[in-house]
């Protein structure tokens, strides 16, 4: 990591090599602090505080030598990638919710518009206009309502025509009966 440091020390707690000497000096790791760090660190990563910053430390003995490999990494730097991922995921979730909201609004407006169109045509039929045909290209539930509405109007026209014809026939029959 950028702010982490790895170094080799011998049994006398002298630094033999380091990945970043400047950072090692900034952390102010002296022989006494190395000993203290090594006594705190065993086999797993342990948390320590260096200059009020939480760090994790790992101490590993190098076989057949008197050297130890010590790694010190600030916890904040380890968490930084996960924070970026969390921010990215939150942004994606926000965008997805926004997109879903737009889609819901668009769909409900489209559906409501179709239902309002049917309701307006029903008002026209109530006022006596039976020459209405709703053009339909959809096969969903609203499309089925449109088709049923058109069929109902066609059947009403047929029944009214039949009633008119039968009324006309009755009148003709009554007129002939009166003439006879």
């Amino acid at each position: 990591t950028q702010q982490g440091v790895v170094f080799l020390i011998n049994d006398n707690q002298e630094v033999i090599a380091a990945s970043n000497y400047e950072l090692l000096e900034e952390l102010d790791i002296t022989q006494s602090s190395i000993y203290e760090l090594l006594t705190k660190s065993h086999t797993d990563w342990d948390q320590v505080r260096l200059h009020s910053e939480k760090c994790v430390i790992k101490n590993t003995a190098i076989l057949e030598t008197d050297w130890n490999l010590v790694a010190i990494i600030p916890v904040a730097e380890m968490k930084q990638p996960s924070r970026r991922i969390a921010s990215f995921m939150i942004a994606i979730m926000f965008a997805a919710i926004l997109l879903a909201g737009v889609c819901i609004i668009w769909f409900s407006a489209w559906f409501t518009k179709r239902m309002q169109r049917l309701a307006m045509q029903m008002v026209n039929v109530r006022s006596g206009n039976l020459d209405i045909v709703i053009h339909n290209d959809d096969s969903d539930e609203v499309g089925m309502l449109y088709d049923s509405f058109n069929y109902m109007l066609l059947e009403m026209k047929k029944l009214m025509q039949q009633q008119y014809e039968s009324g006309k026939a009755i009148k003709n029959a009554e007129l002939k009966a009166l003439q006879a």
Side-chain angles (χ1 to χ4, degrees):
T1 61
Q2 296 294 323
Q3 299 299 316
V5 65
V6 178
F7 56 94
L8 282 171
I9 57 168
N10 61 17
D11 281 343
N12 298 329
Q13 278 72 40
E14 296 171 337
V15 176
I16 296 169
S19 62
N20 188 339
Y21 284 101
E22 293 168 1
L23 191 57
L24 198 61
E25 287 177 20
E26 276 181 37
L27 292 174
D28 193 27
I29 296 178
T30 59
Q31 285 184 335
S32 61
S33 63
I34 290 173
Y35 179 75
E36 187 179 322
L37 290 173
L38 293 180
T39 56
K40 288 183 180 179
S41 178
H42 305 289
T43 56
D44 293 328
W45 289 93
D46 293 318
Q47 278 198 6
V48 295
R49 254 192 204 286
L50 292 174
H51 306 291
S52 73
E53 184 177 8
K54 283 185 182 177
C55 296
V56 289
I57 184 171
K58 172 80 171 171
N59 174 27
T60 305
I62 298 177
L63 298 175
E64 299 180 15
T65 66
D66 66 340
W67 292 357
N68 282 346
L69 181 66
V70 181
I72 301 173
I73 302 170
V75 172
E77 190 172 1
M78 290 174 57
K79 289 182 179 180
Q80 187 178 11
S82 62
R83 285 189 184 127
R84 262 189 263 132
I85 290 171
S87 299
F88 181 69
M89 291 189 67
I90 288 170
I92 286 177
M93 286 189 326
F94 180 73
I97 289 170
L98 188 64
L99 180 65
V102 167
C103 289
I104 288 169
I105 290 169
W106 176 81
F107 179 75
S108 64
W110 173 72
F111 188 79
T112 303
K113 179 180 162 188
R114 294 173 65 208
M115 293 302 290
Q116 286 175 340
R117 181 176 173 208
L118 182 61
M120 293 285 291
Q121 297 305 335
M122 287 180 178
V123 168
N124 286 338
V125 168
R126 235 193 294 166
S127 66
N129 184 4
L130 297 179
D131 295 325
I132 296 172
V133 175
I134 302 176
H135 299 288
N136 179 31
D137 295 330
D138 299 316
S139 61
D140 61 350
E141 290 82 2
V142 177
M144 290 171 56
L145 284 173
Y146 281 8
D147 292 340
S148 296
F149 180 77
N150 289 334
Y151 177 76
M152 179 189 70
L153 283 177
L154 184 65
E155 289 298 311
M156 283 176 63
K157 284 181 193 177
K158 285 181 186 176
L159 287 173
M160 287 178 71
Q161 186 64 32
Q162 285 176 357
Q163 188 177 16
Y164 173 74
E165 294 294 327
S166 72
K168 197 170 153 185
I170 290 172
K171 288 288 183 186
N172 283 339
E174 285 177 357
L175 188 59
K176 285 184 183 182
L178 284 174
Q179 285 177 344

